[in-house]
Amino acid sequence: MQQTSDAAPLRLPGDRRGRPGEDPADTAIRELGEKLGIELGPHDDRPLPVACTSWQGRVAAGQIRCHLFAYELRYDGPIRHQREEVADGWWWTDAELLTHLSDPRWHFAHTTRPMIPDLLH
């Protein structure tokens, strides 16, 4: 989970929208570098897709359509939250995530919640 500023809701690391013509897997790789400082080399494994969901709804800005893609990556290198992108971040077990989801003091982005059930083991 990540938080982009002290006042922002928690969300899964990622991008609100990929770049034009960018494949979701390529967006995931780019975001790993931008958010966590992970740079994959040409011989490193690519992230594996684990979940995908879509939804439509209303937000303060109006009607939106949201497509969410989740990927998994096994990585043994350093993880460095990029402070210009991430104010804080956590690694949680499924049980810890569920506990935080039920605690009203932890504000989760409504755009992230639809993906979470597909990620729990």
Side-chain angles (χ1 to χ4, degrees), residues 94-111:
D94 289 355
E96 290 169 323
L97 175 58
L98 287 171
T99 297
H100 289 342
L101 282 168
S102 65
D103 185 340
R105 293 172 296 177
W106 288 86
H107 179 64
F108 286 82
H110 68 278
T111 55

Side-chain angles (χ1 to χ4, degrees), residues 3-112:
Q3 189 172 32
T4 56
S5 72
D6 290 339
L10 297 176
R11 65 182 73 236
L12 297 170
D15 199 349
R16 291 191 177 184
R17 62 182 84 74
R19 295 179 177 162
E22 187 174 48
D23 178 77
D26 293 330
T27 301
I29 291 169
R30 178 175 52 78
E31 287 294 314
L32 286 169
E34 291 178 8
K35 303 287 194 271
L36 302 175
I38 295 173
E39 298 296 333
L40 298 180
H43 303 292
D44 289 329
D45 290 335
R46 290 179 54 87
L48 299 173
V50 294
C52 174
T53 191
S54 298
W55 61 270
Q56 293 188 137
R58 291 198 59 79
V59 295
Q63 186 76 17
I64 66 167
R65 180 178 299 150
C66 187
H67 302 278
L68 302 170
F69 301 88
Y71 291 84
E72 178 178 85
L73 176 70
R74 305 239 181 241
Y75 175 77
D76 290 327
I79 305 256
R80 298 173 308 277
H81 290 129
Q82 304 302 300
R83 290 296 167 204
E84 62 277 3
E85 294 272 344
V86 178
D88 211 345
W90 302 268
W91 302 106
W92 289 332
T93 65
D94 289 355
E96 290 169 323
L97 175 58
L98 287 171
T99 297
H100 289 342
L101 282 168
S102 65
D103 185 340
R105 293 172 296 177
W106 288 86
H107 179 64
F108 286 82
H110 68 278
T111 55
T112 296

